[in-house]
Amino acid sequence: MANGLTRRQLALAALAATTAMADDTPDYVGPLTGFESKVNPAAFDSVAWVQKLYEDAPLRLTFRAKNKAQAIVWQNELRAKVTDLIGGFPAAKSPLNSQSLEVREYPNYRREKFVFESRPGLGVLAYLLTPKKAAAPLATVLCIPGHGRGVDDIVGIDDKGRDRTVKEGYQFDFAVQVAEQGMAALAIEPLGFGCRRDADARKHGLKQKACEPAAGSALLLGETMIAWRVYDVMRAIDWIESRRDLDAKRIGCMGISGGGTCTLFATALEPRIKAAMVSGYLNTFRDSVFSLPHCIDNYVPGLLKWAEMYDVAGLIAPRPLFAESGENDRIFPVASSKESFARVKKIYEIIGGPAEHDIHSGRHEFNGKKGIPFLKAQLV
């Protein structure tokens, strides 16, 4: 005992004093607080560190061609490299085993719900929206939703499974908009959303994404979620080719956010897609998925050793490309979208073909006011 205090009481007093000192330091943000004069806080910033690593990224296959012949050689080489990096695709196609589930009539279009298998035992849900006043065979636009409830978000279905007449959310039922413009819209459910989620994710409601653990599992298998979703698009085109009312020679692809990711990579790697609209995605890897929090389904191991996002987009040329960006998009910063499109435009100037970029006043959201008419002009 000391001054009548037990060791326990002394320990509690010391703890109280320490707590009081902590309370006197309201700006405490971690173990380096108060030591800023002795260390460089920037040296402990993980994002600042990887930004420096980016400066040394080799980008061995970034676009350097001086003429069209060189550009075509570059496209072939980079397309093969990207295909390899994302994990490749099955060597043989399995039966689609397509089955129609429901057909519903609306004033301006007809909506068919159906399923098919992109791989043995892997089901894909899709909706086909066909305009009533357009003549078959119809130009068809593959519509890929971004993160959210899945394909329901773009075909006019609310979170109770009911039809809605007001276009809501950040995706504004853009598949319905396509059908209203006289083109068929084939909207597919991406792996990890909607009905294509694991049982645990479904317990947490319709908006709970299930990109993880599937996207992480893909990486462990030497593959990527990007490749899995792109292959679903490829098989959807196989399905289009089986339909007499759809024109397989006039296929477009469009998507917002994660759907924009899928659209960009699918169009870069699948020549049957004749035109693309990428919404809320075209940017640099450096200033988007490299530096800001994003879902794991955005990542391709080793890609920056070979190319940036604008190089992948350049694989679409000379096929028409339309990109749109929100002026207030915080996860795909507009300044970097402009920078990326400027690079893409240089590729198009050498290879040829139309490429446009629209900056709308919104945030991370679908706009389509110029993009859908662009697609229509290319396909109809």
Side-chain angles (χ1 to χ4, degrees), residues 142-189:
L142 287 153
C143 298
I144 319 297
H147 285 68
R149 292 187 298 122
V151 73
D152 282 0
D153 269 337
I154 65 173
V155 297
I157 300 173
D158 70 12
D159 58 4
K160 303 296 183 182
R162 303 168 303 195
D163 294 329
R164 62 184 178 199
T165 57
V166 178
K167 298 177 176 66
E168 297 177 333
Y170 81 101
Q171 309 191 72
F172 297 104
D173 288 318
F174 66 81
V176 175
Q177 294 188 51
V178 168
E180 291 173 342
Q181 289 292 316
M183 297 175 285
L186 178 53
I188 66 175
E189 185 94 283

Side-chain angles (χ1 to χ4, degrees), residues 227-240:
W228 290 354
R229 290 176 177 165
V230 167
Y231 192 64
D232 286 345
V233 170
M234 293 175 170
R235 298 312 315 273
I237 295 176
D238 294 338
W239 184 86
I240 291 172

